[in-house]
Coordinates of all heavy atoms in Angstrom, one line a residue:
R198 N -17.6 0.6 -60.2 CA -16.5 0.9 -59.4 C -16.9 1.9 -58.3 O -16.3 1.9 -57.2 CB -15.3 1.5 -60.2 CG -14.0 1.4 -59.4 CD -12.9 2.3 -60.0 NE -11.8 2.2 -59.1 CZ -11.7 2.8 -57.9 NH1 -12.7 3.5 -57.5 NH2 -10.6 2.6 -57.2
E199 N -17.9 2.8 -58.6 CA -18.3 3.8 -57.6 C -18.7 3.2 -56.3 O -18.7 3.9 -55.3 CB -19.3 4.7 -58.2 CG -20.7 4.0 -58.5 CD -21.6 4.9 -59.2 OE1 -21.6 4.9 -60.5 OE2 -22.4 5.6 -58.6
F200 N -19.1 1.9 -56.3 CA -19.5 1.3 -55.0 C -18.4 1.3 -54.0 O -18.7 1.5 -52.8 CB -19.9 -0.2 -55.3 CG -20.3 -1.0 -54.1 CD1 -21.5 -0.7 -53.5 CD2 -19.5 -2.0 -53.6 CE1 -21.9 -1.4 -52.4 CE2 -19.9 -2.7 -52.5 CZ -21.1 -2.4 -51.9
L201 N -17.2 1.2 -54.5 CA -16.0 1.2 -53.6 C -15.9 2.5 -52.8 O -15.5 2.5 -51.6 CB -14.8 0.9 -54.4 CG -14.7 -0.5 -55.1 CD1 -13.5 -0.5 -56.0 CD2 -14.5 -1.6 -54.1
D202 N -16.2 3.6 -53.4 CA -15.9 4.9 -52.8 C -17.2 5.5 -52.1 O -17.0 6.3 -51.3 CB -15.5 5.9 -53.9 CG -14.3 5.4 -54.7 OD1 -13.4 4.9 -54.0 OD2 -14.3 5.6 -55.9
T203 N -18.3 4.9 -52.4 CA -19.6 5.5 -51.9 C -20.3 4.8 -50.8 O -20.9 5.4 -49.9 CB -20.6 5.7 -53.1 OG1 -19.9 6.4 -54.1 CG2 -21.8 6.6 -52.6
Y204 N -20.1 3.4 -50.8 CA -21.0 2.6 -49.9 C -20.2 1.8 -48.8 O -20.9 1.2 -48.0 CB -21.8 1.6 -50.8 CG -22.9 2.3 -51.5 CD1 -22.7 2.8 -52.8 CD2 -24.2 2.3 -50.9 CE1 -23.8 3.4 -53.4 CE2 -25.2 2.9 -51.6 CZ -25.0 3.5 -52.9 OH -26.1 4.1 -53.5
L205 N -18.9 1.9 -48.8 CA -18.2 1.0 -47.9 C -17.5 1.7 -46.7 O -16.6 1.2 -46.1 CB -17.1 0.3 -48.7 CG -17.6 -0.7 -49.8 CD1 -16.5 -1.3 -50.6 CD2 -18.5 -1.8 -49.1
G206 N -18.1 2.8 -46.3 CA -17.7 3.5 -45.0 C -16.4 4.3 -45.2 O -15.9 4.5 -46.3
E207 N -15.8 4.6 -44.1 CA -14.6 5.5 -44.1 C -13.3 4.6 -44.0 O -13.3 3.6 -43.3 CB -14.6 6.4 -42.9 CG -15.8 7.4 -42.9 CD -15.8 8.3 -44.1 OE1 -14.6 8.7 -44.5 OE2 -16.8 8.6 -44.7
P208 N -12.2 5.1 -44.6 CA -11.0 4.4 -44.4 C -10.6 4.3 -43.0 O -10.8 5.2 -42.2 CB -10.0 5.3 -45.2 CG -10.8 6.0 -46.2 CD -12.1 6.2 -45.5
G209 N -10.0 3.1 -42.6 CA -9.6 2.9 -41.2 C -10.7 2.2 -40.4 O -10.4 1.8 -39.3
D210 N -11.9 2.1 -40.9 CA -13.0 1.4 -40.1 C -13.0 0.0 -40.6 O -13.3 -0.3 -41.8 CB -14.3 2.1 -40.4 CG -15.5 1.4 -39.7 OD1 -15.2 0.5 -39.0 OD2 -16.6 1.9 -39.8
D211 N -12.6 -0.9 -39.7 CA -12.5 -2.4 -40.1 C -13.8 -3.1 -39.7 O -13.8 -4.4 -39.8 CB -11.3 -3.0 -39.4 CG -10.0 -2.8 -40.1 OD1 -10.1 -2.2 -41.2 OD2 -9.0 -3.2 -39.6
D212 N -14.9 -2.4 -39.4 CA -16.1 -3.1 -38.9 C -17.2 -3.0 -39.9 O -18.4 -3.1 -39.5 CB -16.5 -2.6 -37.6 CG -15.5 -2.9 -36.5 OD1 -14.9 -4.0 -36.5 OD2 -15.2 -2.0 -35.6
V213 N -17.0 -2.7 -41.2 CA -18.0 -2.5 -42.2 C -18.3 -3.9 -42.8 O -17.4 -4.4 -43.5 CB -17.6 -1.5 -43.2 CG1 -18.7 -1.4 -44.3 CG2 -17.4 -0.2 -42.6
W214 N -19.5 -4.4 -42.6 CA -19.8 -5.7 -43.2 C -20.6 -5.5 -44.5 O -21.6 -4.7 -44.5 CB -20.7 -6.5 -42.2 CG -19.9 -7.0 -41.1 CD1 -19.8 -6.5 -39.8 CD2 -19.1 -8.2 -41.0 NE1 -19.0 -7.2 -39.0 CE2 -18.5 -8.3 -39.7 CE3 -18.8 -9.2 -41.9 CZ2 -17.7 -9.3 -39.3 CZ3 -18.0 -10.3 -41.6 CH2 -17.4 -10.3 -40.3
L215 N -20.1 -6.0 -45.6 CA -20.8 -5.9 -46.9 C -22.3 -6.2 -46.8 O -23.1 -5.5 -47.4 CB -20.1 -6.8 -47.9 CG -20.9 -7.0 -49.2 CD1 -20.8 -5.7 -50.0 CD2 -20.3 -8.2 -50.0
E216 N -22.6 -7.2 -46.0 CA -24.0 -7.7 -46.0 C -24.9 -6.9 -45.1 O -26.1 -7.1 -45.1 CB -24.0 -9.2 -45.4 CG -23.1 -10.1 -46.2 CD -21.6 -10.0 -45.9 OE1 -21.2 -9.3 -44.9 OE2 -20.8 -10.5 -46.7
H217 N -24.4 -5.9 -44.4 CA -25.2 -5.1 -43.5 C -25.5 -3.7 -44.2 O -26.2 -3.7 -45.2 CB -24.6 -4.9 -42.2 CG -24.4 -6.2 -41.4 ND1 -23.7 -6.3 -40.3 CD2 -25.0 -7.4 -41.6 CE1 -23.8 -7.5 -39.8 NE2 -24.5 -8.2 -40.6
A218 N -24.9 -2.6 -43.7 CA -25.2 -1.3 -44.2 C -25.0 -1.1 -45.7 O -25.9 -0.5 -46.4 CB -24.5 -0.2 -43.4
P219 N -23.9 -1.5 -46.3 CA -23.6 -1.3 -47.7 C -24.7 -1.8 -48.7 O -25.3 -1.1 -49.5 CB -22.3 -1.9 -48.0 CG -21.6 -1.9 -46.7 CD -22.7 -2.2 -45.7
L220 N -25.0 -3.1 -48.5 CA -26.0 -3.7 -49.4 C -27.4 -3.2 -49.1 O -28.3 -3.0 -49.9 CB -26.0 -5.2 -49.4 CG -24.7 -5.8 -50.0 CD1 -24.8 -7.3 -50.0 CD2 -24.5 -5.3 -51.5
Q221 N -27.7 -3.0 -47.8 CA -29.0 -2.5 -47.4 C -29.3 -1.1 -47.9 O -30.3 -0.8 -48.4 CB -29.1 -2.5 -45.8 CG -29.2 -3.9 -45.2 CD -29.0 -3.9 -43.7 OE1 -28.9 -2.8 -43.1 NE2 -28.9 -5.1 -43.1
R222 N -28.2 -0.3 -47.9 CA -28.4 1.1 -48.4 C -28.5 1.1 -49.9 O -29.3 1.8 -50.5 CB -27.1 1.9 -48.0 CG -27.2 3.3 -48.5 CD -25.9 4.1 -48.1 NE -25.7 5.2 -48.9 CZ -24.5 5.8 -49.1 NH1 -23.4 5.3 -48.5 NH2 -24.4 6.9 -49.9
L223 N -27.7 0.2 -50.6 CA -27.8 0.1 -52.0 C -29.2 -0.3 -52.4 O -29.7 0.2 -53.4 CB -26.8 -1.0 -52.5 CG -26.3 -0.9 -53.9 CD1 -25.5 0.4 -54.2 CD2 -25.4 -2.1 -54.2
A224 N -29.8 -1.3 -51.7 CA -31.2 -1.7 -52.0 C -32.2 -0.5 -51.8 O -33.1 -0.3 -52.6 CB -31.6 -2.9 -51.1
R225 N -32.0 0.2 -50.7 CA -32.9 1.3 -50.4 C -32.8 2.4 -51.5 O -33.8 3.1 -51.8 CB -32.6 2.0 -49.1 CG -33.0 1.1 -47.9 CD -33.1 2.0 -46.6 NE -31.8 2.6 -46.3 CZ -30.9 2.0 -45.5 NH1 -31.1 0.8 -45.0 NH2 -29.7 2.6 -45.3
D226 N -31.6 2.6 -52.1 CA -31.4 3.5 -53.1 C -31.9 3.1 -54.5 O -31.8 3.8 -55.5 CB -29.9 3.9 -53.2 CG -29.4 4.7 -52.0 OD1 -30.2 5.1 -51.2 OD2 -28.1 4.8 -51.9
G227 N -32.4 1.9 -54.5 CA -32.9 1.3 -55.8 C -31.7 1.0 -56.7 O -31.9 0.9 -58.0
Q228 N -30.6 0.7 -56.2 CA -29.4 0.5 -57.0 C -28.8 -1.0 -56.9 O -27.7 -1.2 -57.3 CB -28.3 1.4 -56.5 CG -28.5 2.9 -56.9 CD -28.5 3.1 -58.4 OE1 -27.7 2.5 -59.1 NE2 -29.4 3.9 -58.9
L229 N -29.7 -1.9 -56.4 CA -29.2 -3.3 -56.3 C -30.2 -4.2 -57.1 O -31.3 -4.4 -56.8 CB -29.2 -3.7 -54.9 CG -28.7 -5.2 -54.6 CD1 -27.2 -5.3 -55.1 CD2 -28.8 -5.5 -53.1

Side-chain angles (χ1 to χ4, degrees):
R198 197 197 178 286
E199 65 188 88
F200 178 71
L201 296 169
D202 303 318
T203 309
Y204 285 88
L205 295 175
E207 298 298 324
D210 183 357
D211 276 357
D212 295 322
V213 179
W214 290 95
L215 169 69
E216 304 77 14
H217 297 169
L220 291 183
Q221 291 169 6
R222 180 182 160 201
L223 204 62
R225 286 197 302 269
D226 291 349
Q228 289 294 323
L229 184 60

